[in-house]
Amino acid sequence: MKKMRGFDRKMRLTARDCALLPDVSAAHLQRYHYDYAKLGLGPLHRFRHARDPLPQVVRQLGVTYLLKTLQYWQRQLAPLSEPVYAAVWLADPDFAYLSQVVVGIQNRIEWYENSFGDAVPTGPPLPPEYRALSGADQLA
C-alpha cells in the first residue's frame, strides 16, 4: 500500500488540533436540550480524501479526542442540578464523519435512551485498538 503524501505533517497538525477541546454550548443546551461535537468537520478533516480506511493511529487519536471531550464536558456540566445524558458514539463505516460526543438534558434524555437503548455490558467489547486508551474503561 502506498503511503499517504504528507502523512506525518497531517498527523502533527491533527494532534495539535485535538489538544483544543470544544466547550459545551450552554445556550444551545438550554434552548434545544442537546449539544454535540463531531470529528467530521473538526480535527480529522485532513484525511478526508484518503481512499483507504483511516489508519489505526488516526482512529485512536480520534477516539482519544472524543473521550477527552466527553470528560471535559462532564466537568462543565457537573454544576447542573438536572440529570444529563452524555455519550460517545463511534461509527465504523464513516468514522471521521459520524463519530461524535453528545449530551442531552430534559426531554432529550428520554429520546436518546429510547432511540438507541441502554448500554449492554455483556455486548461485544470495544475493538482492541480502543481498549487501551485512557478513559475507554468508562464506556459501556
Side-chain angles (χ1 to χ4, degrees):
M1 178 167 70
K2 188 175 177 181
K3 186 177 177 182
M4 183 187 301
R5 184 175 180 163
F7 181 79
D8 293 335
R9 178 180 52 83
K10 290 177 183 182
M11 280 302 299
R12 279 193 310 273
L13 293 172
T14 301
R16 182 198 67 200
D17 289 347
C18 284
L20 303 172
L21 299 176
D23 288 326
V24 65
S25 172
H28 191 271
L29 189 61
Q30 290 301 321
R31 183 171 182 183
Y32 299 107
H33 304 158
Y34 76 96
D35 198 4
Y36 63 92
K38 285 190 171 202
L39 287 176
L41 300 176
L44 296 180
H45 71 277
R46 290 179 184 85
F47 297 96
R48 180 177 186 166
H49 300 293
R51 291 186 187 119
D52 299 320
L54 291 174
Q56 179 177 343
V57 68
V58 175
R59 292 191 315 271
Q60 286 178 328
L61 183 63
V63 171
T64 301
Y65 172 77
L66 292 174
L67 288 170
K68 286 181 179 180
T69 301
L70 176 67
Q71 293 164 353
Y72 181 59
W73 282 12
Q74 286 174 330
R75 286 192 303 271
Q76 287 183 330
L77 297 170
L80 288 178
S81 59
E82 59 186 315
V84 175
Y85 173 92
V88 172
W89 296 344
L90 298 177
D92 189 29
D94 289 325
F95 174 82
Y97 306 106
L98 300 178
S99 297
Q100 59 186 313
V101 177
V102 296
V103 293
I105 60 172
Q106 298 176 6
N107 61 345
R108 271 298 199 188
I109 294 174
E110 184 180 340
W111 185 84
Y112 283 136
E113 289 174 349
N114 289 338
S115 296
F116 303 105
D118 294 331
V120 180
T122 58
L126 285 173
E129 62 195 51
Y130 303 139
R131 276 187 236 146
L133 299 175
S134 175
D137 56 339
Q138 298 173 357
L139 300 177

